[in-house]
Every structure is written in C-alpha cells, then in structure tokens.
Amino acid sequence: MSFFSTRGESCVTASQAILRGIAPDGGLYVPAMFQAVPPERLTTLTDMKYEERAVIILKRFLEDFSIHEIEDAVKAAYSPERFRHPDVAPIVKMDQATWALELFHGPTLAFKDIALQLLPHLLKLSAEKNGEDREVCILVATSGDTGKAALEGFKDVPGTSCTVFYPLDGVSDVQKLQMVTTGGSNTHVIAVKGNFDDAQTGVKELFCSESFREEMAKHGKVLSSANSINLGRLVPQVVYYFSAYADLLKQHAIAAGDPVNFCVPTGNFGDILAAYYAMNMGLPVNKLICASNRNNVLSDFFQTGIYSTHRTFFKTISPSMDILVSSNLERLLYEAADRDGALIRTWMTQLKENGSYSVGEQRRDWLLNIFWGDCADNKDTLGEIKKRWEQDRYLLDPHTAVGGHVLREYRKATGDDTPTVLVATASPYKFAADVLSALTGDNAGGDPFKASEELEKITGIPMPEQVKTLRDLPVRHTAECFKDRMDKAVLDETT
Ligand SMILES: *Cc1c(COP(=O)(O)O)cnc(C)c1O
C-alpha cells in the first residue's frame, strides 16, 4: 500500500508519510486503499491483548515496517509503566445500550497518549528507513492535550526534539502546568499570543516555508509534525475502534457482525476519522456520531454541507475541542469527493480566501448516511456530567460529556437503540474544577488540586498519580511569542 496527498498525485510509503507529516503540496497523506479485516479475523481479536490487536491493525497501514518492528514499537508504547490499565483502552458499561471506551489511562490522562506514545517509535524507524540522520525536530500546535502527550512521548528520545506551541489563554490550568513542568533535555514549550487556530495556522506555515526549512537544515535539523494530521497519529487510533468491538463481542453484548455506533467528542476530526477508517476496513458500524461543543462548525457542516469559519470563537469547558479549522476533515472530504485532489484544492483555497466552502447537497447526503453531527454548550455539558453520575455512577470529563449529551439528543431524534460506544477522551481529574461544579455547584475556587481532592471524596474514584504529583513540580518553560514570530521562537529555543 502507498499513500497519496489529498491535494495531488504524490505517492509515498508509510514511513515517508510519517516522516514528512504533511505533503509538500499542503495536503494530508491518505492510504491508497483500505485493507480489509475479514469477519473471521475480527472475531479472533476477542482473545487477544490490546498489543496484539494493535499489531494486526497497524500492519495493514505500515507496509514498509516489519512485523518485528511493529511488535517492538507497540510493546514499548503500551507498557504497564505507561498505561496503568492492563487493557490499555478498556470498555466500561454505563447503561443497557452504552459503553465508555476509556482512552485516558496513559501518562497524560487523555486519549492522545494512545497515538503519541507510539509515534516517536514509528518516527524513529521512519527516519532510519529513509536514511535521515539529521535531528528530527517535532513542531506541535496544541489546544491543550496534544502538547503534553507529545512532550511525554518524545522526551529524551535520541535524535529528536519536541517544540510545543499553546494558546496563551486557551488551555486549562492543569493542561498548562502539565506542559510547563515537562522535564527532558529536548523539550520546548512556547505560549502563543492568540488562540488555537492561530497556533495551528502558524505551525502549518512553518512546515510550508522553504526558507524556514533551509534555516533549520543549516543547523542539522529536519522538521516533522506530531499533530493529528500526521499519519503516524491517525493509524494508532484506528486500533481502539477494533479493540472496542472485540471487547463488546467478548462480553457477549453483541454478536459477530452486529453493527454498533460510535459517538466521538470532536475537535480536529482525527479521532472520529479513525473510526471512519476502521469502518472502511470492515468494522460493522451503523452511525458515527460527531459531537461538537459550542464551536459547532462541524455539526453545522453535517447539517448544511457548508463549512464556514465566519463565526465567533468561544472558549468552553472542553478546551481541546475549541477549534474552528478542523484539519483532518480534509481526509473525509477526499473520500466524499471521490478522491478528486483538484476538488479538494479548490475547497481548501476557498476556505483560506473566503473562510468557507460548500460540498453541495449530494455529497452532504452521502456524508449523512454515515455521520450525525450535533453540539452541546457548557450548560448541556455540565448537566450531562451530573445526570450520568446520578443515574449510572459514571463520571465523565467535560469533553466526553459533550459526546454524552449529543448521544442523548441523537437517540431522542432518531429512536436508534443500536449499542453505542461513547469515546471517553479524558480523565475527569484533568478538568476537576468544572466536573466538581457540575456535581455540587461549587468549583473549589477554580483550584484544580482542591477540586480533585473534593471530587475524590465525593465519588470515591481515586485521583490519578499524575495529578497528585503535578502540584510540586518546578516550572521549566516560560517562553512566549507573537503569532507572526513563531519561526524566530523555534530558532531561539532549539539552536
Ligand atoms: C484532542 C481531544 C479531543 C478532540 O479530538 P480530535 O481528534 O481533535 O477530534 C477530544 N477530547 C479530548 C480530551 C482531547 O484531548
């Protein structure tokens, strides 16, 4: 298998796609074809550990990696020191028809660990395969969770460095503390005076700037990306959809071949796109429910077929989904456009120049066969946390609660009672003040540590080690920059 750019004809191997991050024409790498997991293979996953399931799925994308390379990478990434749950990504039954897929048992308590613990290994192998011996310099724009997950994944990995840009006032206290206290000799954290889209646009421009690449090359460095546009981020996420299905089979919640729904709290559209890829590989899916917060550019898109960024940007209590330009949607558009790169180029130019594009009603209807989009505001989100806790004694973080609310609305609107997996993307302790206020009306003065202690007392759910130790770690990163000076900031920090 090889990989195409969504905007043109370039054709590269998996390792080249991972190493480059983004295609030279600004497009994203997509598989030339989806390799099926036949139904008999799918049922054999039930008896396997997460690591074994991962090898089966990953090898369908990573054509130029050997099985042994994939096995070693997976073993290192999902070791018990890194993931505290023996199943890595367990499903937990919430009610008769709903399971939480818990993706927050990794080092930074959010789902991005699943991909970002594996990516450094894939990237290192990719560099070797392509004779790349310069230092691989990772640039990341983060809305909160990616940054810390990338820093943890790349910390002290030889031959790499990791520079993270976060919006100065756009992340939670815990997210910020997690990042600025990161150790390691190759990690850099810079606050951008702007919002997440400014940071993300800035990083994209750095990748596309010939002069910046040349400047870095002079210092013996080559750029790569750990953002969710990198293929090496996307493919590890496909694994847990198969794994969740296998676990439902194992628990006899479904029979082989039964379709399920996945409800996914969405920002950059990476997580839910992985579900769509799993479906294209033969996973029986009925509906993919795309849940947005008040920045509901995606749910509007599914409803109208028009993607428009002419709207106010809101800061919400689910900051990792505060996004107006959803990068990975381009990969779905590519399928919706029958893989017509020229059409994608047109839409993306319209987006850049006019802030919007329309895919037309026919393509919108095609998308609606698979997807359902809706949104939840802060009040809905807090209400959902309280309801879930009171009804089922299951504690949601605000991101997952956006999904929970949208799922409730979806069921009301459609009457669909297909077994549904709600993707639980973060630990409630990562957003303890808001979760506490949902339960009690009091947020402990916004102090995340006091709120965590209170939450532990009320719910009896143990506070994760990572939160307990965070308070006493020294701050190591204080750099700030303007959004049009990110190139200079990278050079200052890394050379
Ligand atoms: C990143 C993130 C999301 C959104 O995931 P996308 O892949 O960007 O759609 C949702 N919840 C949490 C906790 C996240 O960190």
Side-chain angles (χ1 to χ4, degrees):
M1 185 185 9
S2 37
F3 295 83
F4 300 148
S5 162
T6 48
R7 298 190 195 178
E9 274 82 62
S10 82
C11 182
V12 297
T13 62
S15 67
Q16 286 166 338
I18 290 170
L19 198 54
R20 289 188 191 172
I22 190 166
D25 58 12
L28 311 191
Y29 288 114
V30 288
M33 51 165 284
F34 292 100
Q35 276 193 41
V37 178
E40 17 355 310
R41 193 70 179 124
L42 190 52
T43 42
T44 63
L45 296 184
T46 52
D47 298 326
M48 294 181 192
K49 294 184 4 169
Y50 188 85
E51 291 88 325
E52 297 169 288
R53 294 170 182 174
V55 174
I56 306 270
I57 302 306
L58 290 171
K59 77 171 190 209
R60 285 176 155 73
F61 290 99
L62 305 176
E63 91 234 317
D64 60 335
F65 290 64
S66 75
I67 281 288
H68 291 300
E69 286 171 337
I70 298 175
E71 279 171 352
D72 288 348
V74 161
K75 218 165 156 189
Y78 303 127
S79 70
E81 299 85 65
R82 287 164 186 268
F83 282 81
R84 288 173 188 249
H85 198 289
D87 295 342
V88 181
I91 59 166
V92 175
K93 190 167 182 175
M94 296 199 294
D95 64 37
Q96 273 324 94
T98 319
W99 285 258
L101 169 57
E102 293 187 344
L103 302 179
F104 52 74
H105 295 289
T108 76
L109 306 177
F111 90 93
K112 294 183 175 75
D113 285 328
I114 303 233
L116 280 164
Q117 284 296 320
L118 188 61
L119 180 66
H121 301 285
L122 300 182
L123 202 59
K124 223 160 149 272
L125 289 164
S126 299
E128 284 164 21
K129 286 178 193 301
N130 291 281
E132 179 57 74
D133 49 17
R134 289 174 289 182
E135 178 187 306
V136 180
C137 187
I138 303 295
L139 300 183
V140 180
T142 185
S143 57
D145 290 330
T146 307
K148 179 59 176 177
L151 292 164
E152 280 304 311
F154 283 96
K155 187 171 78 186
D156 292 328
V157 173
T160 72
S161 73
C162 183
T163 304
V164 168
F165 290 97
Y166 71 93
L168 189 53
D169 297 310
V171 298
S172 81
D173 292 342
V174 170
Q175 287 175 323
K176 181 170 172 178
L177 255 188
Q178 281 187 317
M179 289 191 277
V180 298
T181 56
T182 305
S185 57
N186 63 342
T187 55
H188 311 279
V189 182
I190 303 166
V192 181
K193 295 176 181 165
N195 62 30
F196 171 67
D197 289 306
D198 295 325
Q200 174 159 265
T201 306
V203 165
K204 271 193 198 158
E205 278 166 7
L206 292 186
F207 278 115
C208 294
S209 159
E210 264 323 304
S211 60
F212 181 68
R213 276 183 187 273
E214 274 167 26
E215 188 63 33
M216 292 296 277
K218 269 191 224 152
H219 293 96
K221 293 170 199 293
V222 58
L223 296 183
S224 190
S225 141
N227 270 103
S228 65
I229 52 173
N230 191 313
L231 183 79
R233 280 281 302 277
L234 185 58
V235 292
Q237 297 179 170
V238 178
V239 174
Y240 49 73
Y241 290 101
F242 279 96
S243 179
Y245 191 89
D247 282 336
L248 286 173
L249 278 176
K250 194 172 171 178
Q251 296 181 10
H252 304 292
I254 56 171
D258 285 354
V260 299
N261 297 333
F262 290 99
C263 178
V264 190
T266 308
N268 232 338
F269 209 77
D271 201 358
I272 193 166
L273 182 84
Y276 175 70
Y277 275 21
M279 186 185 124
N280 283 342
M281 295 165 74
L283 192 70
V285 170
N286 175 53
K287 242 347 175 242
L288 297 177
I289 302 160
C290 174
S292 306
N293 64 22
R294 194 174 171 201
N295 296 296
N296 58 350
V297 60
L298 283 168
S299 52
D300 281 356
F301 169 69
F302 283 116
Q303 276 154 26
T304 62
I306 298 166
Y307 194 96
S308 171
T309 56
H310 294 292
R311 53 179 73 229
T312 313
F313 177 87
F314 298 105
K315 286 207 301 184
T316 73
I317 57 171
S318 46
S320 300
M321 296 156 63
D322 288 346
I323 291 171
L324 291 187
V325 183
S326 219
S327 300
N328 268 297
L329 185 67
E330 184 168 335
R331 287 188 163 110
L332 178 66
L333 294 175
Y334 185 68
E335 306 302 329
D338 291 325
R339 308 200 133 206
D340 178 350
L343 187 51
I344 301 297
R345 277 203 302 278
T346 307
W347 288 339
M348 291 304 125
T349 306
Q350 288 170 350
L351 183 65
K352 197 163 179 202
E353 288 172 2
N354 317 324
S356 75
Y357 58 83
S358 168
V359 300
E361 270 183 29
Q362 222 175 340
R363 291 199 174 84
R364 194 267 326 258
D365 291 345
W366 180 83
L367 287 168
L368 285 181
N369 280 328
I370 309 160
F371 290 90
W372 171 280
D374 205 350
C375 59
D377 63 18
N378 281 351
K379 191 164 157 277
D380 298 329
T381 307
L382 293 170
E384 178 66 22
I385 294 173
K386 189 174 168 70
K387 241 182 256 170
R388 258 305 161 196
W389 176 252
E390 286 175 354
Q391 288 173 1
D392 304 311
R393 285 290 179 261
Y394 190 86
L395 193 62
L396 302 167
D397 97 287
H399 301 77
T400 313
V402 167
H405 175 82
V406 167
L407 175 58
R408 223 178 264 279
E409 294 299 309
Y410 167 77
R411 284 179 170 151
K412 254 191 244 164
T414 62
D416 179 16
D417 60 358
T418 305
T420 300
V421 174
L422 172 61
V423 177
T425 51
S427 160
Y429 281 101
K430 205 162 180 178
F431 304 93
D434 287 320
V435 174
L436 181 68
S437 85
L439 299 190
T440 66
D442 170 55
N443 74 349
D447 179 331
F449 301 105
K450 272 195 208 133
S452 293
E453 281 162 13
E454 196 56 33
L455 210 51
E456 187 172 47
K457 239 188 270 165
I458 297 175
T459 63
I461 299 169
M463 193 192 312
E465 248 348 272
Q466 295 95 314
V467 175
K468 276 190 206 157
T469 52
L470 190 58
R471 194 182 341 210
D472 304 320
L473 294 176
V475 171
R476 300 183 65 245
H477 306 275
T478 53
E480 290 182 8
C481 78
F482 290 102
K483 63 183 181 184
D484 55 355
R485 303 303 298 275
M486 286 165 61
D487 49 350
K488 187 170 174 300
V490 175
L491 288 163
D492 286 350
E493 279 278 321
T494 65
T495 61

